[in-house]
Amino acid sequence: MTEKKSLNKNYMPIIYFLIFFSFSLTLKAEKTYQSILQCLGMEEMMLHKKKIRGPIYDLNQKLISEVSSGNLMKVKEDIIKEICLGSDFSPSVNFLRKLLVEGKSIYEFDRDNEKVFRLQKAATETLQQKVPNLFFNYLISLQSLTNRADCLYKAIPEFNYFVQRFRYLQEEINPQKLLSEKGKIEAIFMRLKKIEKVIRKCNKKT
C-alpha cells in the first residue's frame, strides 16, 4: 500500500501539468509555428525542462515519431494555431483530439505536384490508421495513475463504451469506423478537462 501511495504522489506533477502546461504556451500567443512538428518539438523541450514523464510525455514522443516519419505531412496553419495555442490541453492532446474529431480535413496537400501529393496522402493515411491506438494508449496510461482499475471507465463512460466495442468488434470493423461517433469522442475530451479531479477522486481513500 505504501508503494502505491508513493507512486501516485510521484505522478501528481503530471496531473497538474495536464492542466497548466497549455497555459505556458498560450502566454506565447504571438509565436508562429511553421509546422506541427515544430510545435510538438517545443512541447517536448518544455517536458524535458520540467522533467515531466508519464502519459503526456509518451503521447508527445509517439506523435513526434509519426510526424517525423511522414515529413511531407502538412497541417493547415489555422489548425496548428488551434493545437499549439489552445488553453484546454497541451499541444499533443489537442493534436490527438483534432485527428480523432476532424480527421483528414486538418491536412493541407500540394495538389500541383502529383508525386508530393501521393506521398502526403500516404503519410496522413498512415497516421490516421494509428490514431485509435494512440487514443486508447493515452487513456489507458491515464488509468494507470489511479488506484482502482475501473475508476476511469466509470468516470468517463464513453471511454468504457469504446473499449467494449473494440474488445468485441475490432476483428469485424475497421478501428477508425469504431471511433466514428464523434459526439462521444468530444464528450471524452470534455471530461478530460477535469482529469486531475477524476484522478484525485479515484485515489481518495474510501
Side-chain angles (χ1 to χ4, degrees), residues 90-103:
S90 74
S92 288
V93 179
N94 273 330
F95 188 26
L96 179 62
R97 177 179 169 274
K98 287 288 185 182
L99 290 168
L100 284 159
V101 177
E102 299 183 31

Side-chain angles (χ1 to χ4, degrees), residues 14-28:
I14 298 172
I15 297 171
Y16 292 121
F17 184 78
L18 291 169
I19 317 163
F20 297 118
F21 175 73
S22 57
F23 293 106
S24 66
L25 287 184
T26 304
L27 294 175
K28 299 180 180 179

Side-chain angles (χ1 to χ4, degrees), residues 169-182:
L169 300 174
Q170 63 178 333
E171 294 183 2
E172 302 174 23
I173 303 177
N174 184 293
Q176 289 175 279
K177 289 185 178 180
L178 284 173
L179 288 173
S180 61
E181 297 178 68
K182 305 304 181 184

Side-chain angles (χ1 to χ4, degrees), residues 64-183:
I64 285 178
S65 176
E66 293 300 330
V67 173
S68 298
S69 63
N71 57 7
L72 289 175
M73 185 187 303
K74 189 174 182 181
V75 176
K76 294 176 181 177
E77 186 177 338
D78 59 324
I79 299 295
I80 292 176
K81 185 175 181 180
E82 290 178 26
I83 290 170
C84 304
L85 304 177
S87 60
D88 290 329
F89 301 106
S90 74
S92 288
V93 179
N94 273 330
F95 188 26
L96 179 62
R97 177 179 169 274
K98 287 288 185 182
L99 290 168
L100 284 159
V101 177
E102 299 183 31
K104 296 177 184 178
S105 67
I106 71 172
Y107 302 112
E108 202 169 74
F109 299 98
D110 184 355
R111 300 181 184 277
D112 295 327
N113 187 320
E114 185 177 348
K115 182 178 179 180
V116 172
F117 175 71
R118 288 201 308 268
L119 291 171
Q120 287 176 327
K121 290 283 285 184
T124 55
E125 181 60 36
T126 296
L127 176 55
Q128 288 300 138
Q129 289 175 356
K130 295 180 179 180
V131 166
N133 280 337
L134 290 171
F135 180 49
F136 280 99
N137 286 337
Y138 176 65
L139 291 176
I140 290 169
S141 66
L142 290 178
Q143 168 65 42
S144 71
L145 301 181
T146 70
N147 284 334
R148 300 199 300 276
D150 63 344
C151 192
L152 201 64
Y153 296 121
K154 291 181 178 179
I156 307 179
E158 296 84 2
F159 175 30
N160 187 52
Y161 169 81
F162 283 122
V163 166
Q164 296 303 318
R165 280 173 62 83
F166 265 78
R167 184 173 296 166
Y168 297 109
L169 300 174
Q170 63 178 333
E171 294 183 2
E172 302 174 23
I173 303 177
N174 184 293
Q176 289 175 279
K177 289 185 178 180
L178 284 173
L179 288 173
S180 61
E181 297 178 68
K182 305 304 181 184

